[in-house]
Amino acid sequence: MKIAPIRNEKDYQNALNRIEKIFDAKKGTEKGDELEILSILIDRYENENFPIGMPDPIEAIKFRMEQMGMKQKDLAKVVGFKSRVSEILSKKRKLSLAMIRKLNTTLHIPTEVLVQEY
């Protein structure tokens, strides 16, 4: 097992290829340890080189509603009137702090996503 830092695209590809070969390694074995270490290195490299930004707050709400099978009338129970929901989802009305708290609690969307400008 020879593990080195991932510094460039070639190192990254080599690490991905190696992980593919040892993917089914059992925990606690030498290959299992190698798999765990390579996974950590790959994760770090990807986070530094391919960052994923936070989603748009309204798109996050729509996505979560879809996941939960919610309709606008269901969201009205969380943020108020049905017309208010329509204004929020069309970005004509900003989220208030109270709405953000309720959405966080009800839909489990992180507050750091909901408080962003849009």
Side-chain angles (χ1 to χ4, degrees):
M1 164 171 65
K2 182 179 183 257
I3 297 178
I6 300 173
R7 294 188 177 104
N8 54 46
E9 185 65 27
K10 183 180 178 199
D11 294 342
Y12 174 65
Q13 288 304 320
N14 288 337
L16 289 175
N17 291 336
R18 181 62 183 155
I19 273 198
E20 194 173 312
K21 290 178 184 172
I22 62 172
F23 190 75
D24 294 324
K26 293 190 177 165
K27 246 184 173 181
T29 65
E30 187 175 334
K31 285 186 181 177
D33 292 346
E34 181 182 3
L35 176 65
E36 187 174 349
I37 293 167
L38 282 174
S39 298
I40 293 166
L41 292 172
I42 288 170
D43 183 56
R44 180 174 169 231
Y45 182 83
E46 289 175 344
N47 288 337
E48 289 175 0
N49 293 282
F50 313 114
I52 298 173
M54 283 200 261
D56 175 83
I58 303 307
E59 293 306 314
I61 292 169
K62 289 177 181 177
F63 178 74
R64 192 68 177 121
M65 285 174 62
E66 185 180 319
Q67 281 185 320
M68 297 173 76
M70 291 177 76
K71 303 219 178 295
Q72 284 191 16
K73 66 178 181 173
D74 301 318
L75 193 60
K77 296 173 187 171
V78 178
V79 297
F81 304 103
K82 198 173 177 183
S83 60
R84 184 175 296 157
V85 171
S86 200
E87 290 174 341
I88 290 168
L89 295 180
S90 65
K91 298 184 179 183
K92 292 179 182 173
R93 177 187 285 263
K94 298 285 185 186
L95 294 170
S96 70
L97 184 56
M99 288 179 205
I100 290 170
R101 287 180 179 147
K102 288 178 185 175
L103 290 166
N104 171 258
T105 304
T106 308
L107 301 183
H108 307 289
I109 300 172
T111 53
E112 51 271 6
V113 170
L114 295 169
V115 298
Q116 296 179 97
E117 283 291 327
Y118 58 92

